[in-house]
Structure formats: structure tokens, C-alpha cells
Amino acid sequence: MRRELLRAYFSRRTLVSLYNLFFTISRTLLTSFPLSVIMPKSNDGGAESESESLPLLDLSKPSSPISFPIKSLQDLKSRAYFDSFHFQFNRSTVPLRRNLPDHRPRVLVCHDMKGGYVDDKWVQGCENDAGYAIWHWYLMDVFVYFSHSLVTIPPPCWTNTAHRHGVKVLGTFITEWDEGKATCSEMLASKESAQMYAERLAELSSSLGFDGWLINIENEIDEEQIPNLMEFVSHLTKVLHLSTPGALVIWYDSVTIHGDLKWQDHLNEKNKPFFDLCDGIFMNYTWKESYPKLSAEVAGDRKYDVYMGIDVFGRGSFGGGQWTVDTALDLLKRNNVSAAIFAPGWVYETAQPPNFHTAQNKWWSLVEKSWGIVQTYPQILPFYSDFNQGFGYHVSLEGRQLSDAPWYNISCQSLQPLLEFKEDNTDIIQIHLFANVYNGKHMNLFSAREASYNGGGNIVFKGRLEGDVYFTARLFKPLLHLSSSPITVSYSVKSDETSKLGLLLRFSSPSHETKSILVAPQEPIPILVDHMFLKCLVTSEQTVSEWTVHETSLVMDEHTLIEIFAFCYGPENPTKTSEYVALLGHISIKDHVQLPQNLVSLPPPSSWVIEAHNIELVPCNSGSKILRVKLEWRQKQREDSVLPVYNVYAESVKSTDVLRSRKVLEKPRSERVFLGISHVPAYYVSELVLDSDVKGVSFVVQSCGEDGSWMKVDDSPNLLVDLEGLS
């Protein structure tokens, strides 16, 4: 980023200071339940006030788990990060979904949102349901988490959800200004020093589960140290490739091979030596129309490793960014090079009308129209999505509400549907990916109190159907190769009798013929699809908490599932135009040999060990007390085994007899409090408010599988924590 543009940039957008990264929890619930949990809060829009100057947090001591950058070479060298209380919470546990090799131009998206580490820093989530999120992962290949700290480590929420969609995640190593020059002088003092710091970065990314680094040296370098800078880039690339196959090191177009800070805006002899040592180059965004073609010619066979920068804020960027970002994207696509989109959070930060959800979908539709879909999923089974966007106003499980508190946790985002954006939508059925949020940021046309089947979201279909008219909407574009084994397709719907919802599955045969099958609760009137009458598989039904779960099995030997559509239709003998409203709660596709929902092969309770550490009981003036405790769990025989999701609950114990017997009697559902969700085998309870007569707390850890299955909470392992004697 150019120095003069950077000054203008900082005048408009203030970085979040490190002091404000760690503001304390302030909300206390004392009367609603026998016990309650307090989540970290952010004020509206997610940015903390600069005036909230708070003492620096001791990262070695227990507190609500946070993500944070490394600010100094000394901290990087000493490996102090690994001694932090927060280290184990910051590991991504979702493996990168492997894609088929694609020799094509790619899309890199560089996060730049209010300086980084805003609502996303709270690893276990926070209460700001209006926090910034991205759900258009199918339009990108690489995601870079960016801030202006020396070592920017991506919060695990971004890595978890990006990996789930097949997108690689990079951190940022950046040096700037005079301080940056001094840092580089120390780091590059010798070849051995350069190698050591490269190894520290490689260790961080491999330990935390992300996929590499963007290297941004935006200061002058003494020319005699250029060989050591090249060694730093080369060694980092080599070590990363050994520790994390498929990892990436991307060089930013800034300092030249002569040590000058001169942005070239295209690949040439002044920056190509760095490009030759790593996996790609992120070109500065003030390039001219001819530069993509020139860069492609210089790169030769590696032209797809040239990522031409586009600043969404527009600052000198070709095409102007903002709502004309497709001008630059179209040019890059024609010249067969890759794109690097910088700061798509512009939509959020500038409060583009009418609301963030709509504006975000509109902006990303420009990317899709220009570049097309680059991620196809699912590619393997099991496949599961409950359309959770990583924020909401409640949490549900199998149609039953666990919590009615607002929340934000991008790690919870499930595979996102590929809904088409239509600005002037005149379709007979309107479609809304529903996050259950009704404030100014995530506004929706429907009640925020509408239920979800799982998580905190669903897809709402609403409109009018006349006679035997039907309506289809694209949901997913899989590339799922099927064998002779049956597959089981299930989905949940909430609607009345006049609003029917099925799934239209489109397959490609070995001879590349297209076949369509409708999975639906009842067979509609004969319909021609792909010049053939549509075959319908009628589902079995099960009612769960006002939701109907439809399920069927089919065999499509040697076929490939290539598209999944929602199929909206009315009753069998319609007599008039009727209002149509249906909610789609989830979709699941499994191998037939896999056990059905709730009969899952999750580890039994006896195979788990749960431990409590860092227990602290703090009395309150009202007579109540606050419990803080770190919970950790593992399987006895498989200590390295980690499941995708754990739900954590608490139950108060007021009987001394129960404490002595160490056995918790079955509690009414109303007395069991949902604390939160963890994606690592640990959870920190930061503020659990207890009545004065509570003598112990039973913590329950419910395991959940990647196929949407879960262990019954009453059968889940638990740990009884005795509070007597604590103070």
C-alpha cells in the first residue's frame, strides 16, 4: 500500500489499539436463571471506543480466550505466544478441504476490517450479532487476515470456516516506517537470524492450523541486507512446504531488489527475484490497464501466481473499486492473471444501504458475475449444512431452542448456499438466507424470533404460487462422485400444508447426460425437466419440534451430483392462488452405511476424561457468586482426537448429598444452561453467576459430528465441580 495513500487511509479509519483489544466483561445476569453465563460484549458495529483505555491484559493468566497479534521480534523469537493461556484456544481444528487441482486464475481476498481483531478476536464468540462476517467463500481461493501489527495471526474463526469451504488462510508479516526498518535491520543481521525468524513463522502457522503468510515489507532495506531478506523468503517457503503441504508464501509488491520502497504495480526485474523464491506476488493496486498483460508475460508459466491488487475503497485502484470493482476484475480475467481483493469490509465500514446483509450480497454478486464460482462443494460425504452464517439471535438444536441471546462466532458458520442475488427481484418466491437478526446491520424482512432447526439460521421462501406453478432456487453446486452404495438425503422444513418444499438433485452420468430427481414429501403433477418427466422420490417424514424432517435413499452408481436446488410447489389439487411460506432448516447427505441422526458413532461418555483447571469463585455484593473455570476434555485412548464441535452446558447443584455421591440426577431441561460452543477440546467459563445456595456445578460436554449428528445431552460426559471450600 502506497505511503501517501496510507496516510489518507489512516485519517479515515482508526486502528483498534492493543489496549482496546482486551476490554473486560461487564454484563451480569443475576435473576433470570439459577445460574447464567456472560458473553463478551461489543458496542454496535463491533468497534470498541478509543476512549476505553484499559490496563494491558496478562496473556499468561486465565481470561476469556482471545486472538491477538505478535508485536515485537523479541516475542516472536522467544516463542512467548506458546506460553500464553490463549494458545490452545487459537488452534484451528477444521482441516482444509482438499480441492481438485485447478490450473486457472485465482481470487485472493485480503481482510482489512477496522485494523483487525474486533469482534472476531473473541474465540468463544461474543454478543454482537452485528459483527462483520463473510459468507461468499465459493468466490475465493485464498483469504488473508491483515492488520498493521508485526505478526498478524488469523483468529481461528476465519480459518475454521474458510477451511470448511476449501479456502486457504494466510497470516500477515508486515514491517512499516522507521520502526519497520529497524526491525528488518535486526531480523536480517545475518543469514542465520533470517532463517530463525522464518522458522518461527512457519512454526506458528503449522501449530495453529493456517496455511502460510503474506510478507509485506513496506520500508527501505539496506542493500547489503537484501541477500538475507531473500534468504528469509526462500527459507520460509521451504520450511512451510515441508511442514504444511500446500502452504503459501505470498510476497507483497513494495520494497525492490535494491532495497528501495518503490511500488512497481506490475511484475518486473525489480520485484521478480522475490516472486521466484515463493508462491506468488500480491501486486500493489495502483496499476495501469496494460500492467496485467505485462505481468503475465514476465511470469510465463506462473502467471496465475500473480495477484493484481484491487482496493475496494478505491484509493487509486484501477476501475475505482467500490461498486465498480468488476471493472478491474473483468480486465484481470481477460488477461489470465489472478486477483487480490483488498478490504471487502468497505461495504460494512461505510454502512452501504439499505443494510449490510443486502449490500454484502449485492457487492459479491459483482465478483460472481465477473469471475464466476471457484469453489464447488460438497465433494465428499458426509455433507451437511444448516445455513448458519456465524451470527444470530438464538441457538437451536433439533428445533429446540438452547439460547435466546444474540451471538457472533464465525467458527459456527456451516457450508454456505450459493444463492443468486437479484437486485430488482420479481420472482414469485423471494428467498432470504435468514440469520435471525433484526438490527440495523443484518436486517431481514421476517421475524427475528423465527425458529431454526439447528444453529441460528435457515432459508426462508416466501411468495405466492398460482395453480400448479412451481419455483426452483439454486442452493449448492457440488462435485460429488457417487458409487454403487446408496446415499441418504434428508432435510428439515417448517411450513403449512399448502407450502411444499422438496430438493431437486441434478446428476451427470458417465456419458455426461444430465438427469434430475426430485426428493419431496409428495409427488407433484408431471413436470418436464431436461426434456424428461421429473422422477420423484417420496420421502418418509418425522415431526421434530414443529419441523418436519424428510428422508429418502437412492442409488446413482457412477453418477456425479452437480447441483442441488430448492423446489417450491403447492398442494396436489390447487384451486386458487395461495400464499407460500416455507423454511428450510438443513440438508444432509450421507452414505447409507452411516448411522442415521442421533444413532451416531460418537465416542461413549465412558471414553472421555473431563478436567477443571484455574477454578476461581468470586463473591458478589448481592450474595451471589461468580465462577470462573477452564474445562478440558479428551478421549482416554485417543488424546489427539478432536471432534468438530462441542456444546457446553452447566447445571447447578444445591444438594450436599449429590456432591457426596458425585452423581447428578437428571435435571429438567429448563435448569440446564447452555454456555456456548467450542471447536477445541477446551472451554473457559469466564463469568458464571450462581445463586448463594449453589454448592456445585455439573458441566456437560456434548459432542457433535461433521455430518450434523450429536450425542444426546443426557448421555454426554459430565464433570461435577464442588464449590465448597472455594473462596
Side-chain angles (χ1 to χ4, degrees), residues 596-659:
Q597 188 92 335
N598 290 335
L599 297 175
V600 297
S601 55
L602 293 169
S606 59
S607 69
W608 292 91
V609 174
I610 306 179
E611 298 173 344
H613 303 285
N614 308 112
I615 303 175
E616 183 182 5
L617 193 64
V618 181
C620 300
N621 293 334
S622 61
S624 61
K625 45 201 174 186
I626 294 176
L627 175 65
R628 302 185 179 106
V629 59
K630 176 185 176 183
L631 304 173
E632 293 184 90
W633 53 89
R634 65 182 187 276
Q635 293 183 50
K636 295 176 182 177
Q637 305 301 324
R638 301 179 61 191
E639 294 195 10
D640 60 341
S641 176
V642 178
L643 293 168
V645 180
Y646 304 94
N647 294 327
V648 183
Y649 305 82
E651 298 174 355
S652 61
V653 175
K654 298 183 178 181
S655 167
T656 304
D657 292 338
V658 170
L659 286 176

Side-chain angles (χ1 to χ4, degrees), residues 528-698:
L528 278 174
V529 175
D530 299 325
H531 309 291
M532 298 175 61
F533 283 109
L534 184 63
K535 179 180 178 181
C536 180
L537 290 178
V538 178
T539 60
S540 62
E541 298 182 6
Q542 179 184 2
T543 302
V544 180
S545 302
E546 299 183 344
W547 289 82
T548 301
V549 179
H550 302 276
E551 183 173 292
T552 193
S553 295
L554 66 155
V555 177
M556 295 296 291
D557 189 12
E558 300 301 320
H559 281 65
T560 301
L561 179 61
I562 56 173
E563 287 182 300
I564 302 174
F565 291 84
F567 188 95
C568 304
Y569 64 107
E572 187 173 359
N573 296 305
T575 57
K576 60 180 180 178
T577 301
S578 59
E579 184 176 1
Y580 184 98
V581 180
L583 280 64
L584 179 61
H586 86 283
I587 297 176
S588 171
I589 305 177
K590 305 179 185 181
D591 289 326
H592 195 62
V593 294
Q594 293 172 330
L595 296 173
Q597 188 92 335
N598 290 335
L599 297 175
V600 297
S601 55
L602 293 169
S606 59
S607 69
W608 292 91
V609 174
I610 306 179
E611 298 173 344
H613 303 285
N614 308 112
I615 303 175
E616 183 182 5
L617 193 64
V618 181
C620 300
N621 293 334
S622 61
S624 61
K625 45 201 174 186
I626 294 176
L627 175 65
R628 302 185 179 106
V629 59
K630 176 185 176 183
L631 304 173
E632 293 184 90
W633 53 89
R634 65 182 187 276
Q635 293 183 50
K636 295 176 182 177
Q637 305 301 324
R638 301 179 61 191
E639 294 195 10
D640 60 341
S641 176
V642 178
L643 293 168
V645 180
Y646 304 94
N647 294 327
V648 183
Y649 305 82
E651 298 174 355
S652 61
V653 175
K654 298 183 178 181
S655 167
T656 304
D657 292 338
V658 170
L659 286 176
R660 289 172 180 167
S661 68
R662 311 302 295 174
K663 183 178 180 181
V664 181
L665 302 177
E666 185 173 332
K667 292 276 185 177
R669 196 178 298 272
S670 61
E671 293 189 31
R672 182 183 298 133
V673 176
F674 173 72
L675 299 183
I677 294 172
S678 179
H679 292 79
V680 296
Y683 188 87
Y684 185 68
V685 182
S686 58
E687 301 282 325
L688 192 60
V689 182
L690 307 172
D691 290 341
S692 57
D693 58 347
V694 172
K695 295 179 171 57
V697 178
S698 175

Side-chain angles (χ1 to χ4, degrees), residues 463-526:
R464 300 185 73 82
L465 290 178
E466 184 175 351
D468 56 7
V469 172
Y470 66 91
F471 176 83
T472 62
R474 179 189 73 186
L475 298 179
F476 295 99
K477 288 183 71 69
L479 191 64
L480 187 58
H481 301 290
L482 302 175
S483 66
S484 57
S485 299
I487 60 171
T488 299
V489 179
S490 64
Y491 64 100
S492 54
V493 175
K494 189 175 183 181
S495 67
D496 60 26
E497 287 298 317
T498 63
S499 301
K500 304 294 184 181
L501 181 61
L503 297 179
L504 180 63
L505 309 179
R506 188 160 288 166
F507 300 88
S508 176
S509 71
S511 58
H512 304 292
E513 296 177 328
T514 301
K515 298 181 180 179
S516 297
I517 294 179
L518 177 63
V519 175
Q522 72 178 39
E523 190 163 351
I525 63 171

Side-chain angles (χ1 to χ4, degrees), residues 434 436 438 444-450:
F434 187 51
N436 301 301
Y438 59 76
N444 199 282
L445 299 177
F446 303 96
S447 169
R449 302 298 178 182
E450 190 62 76

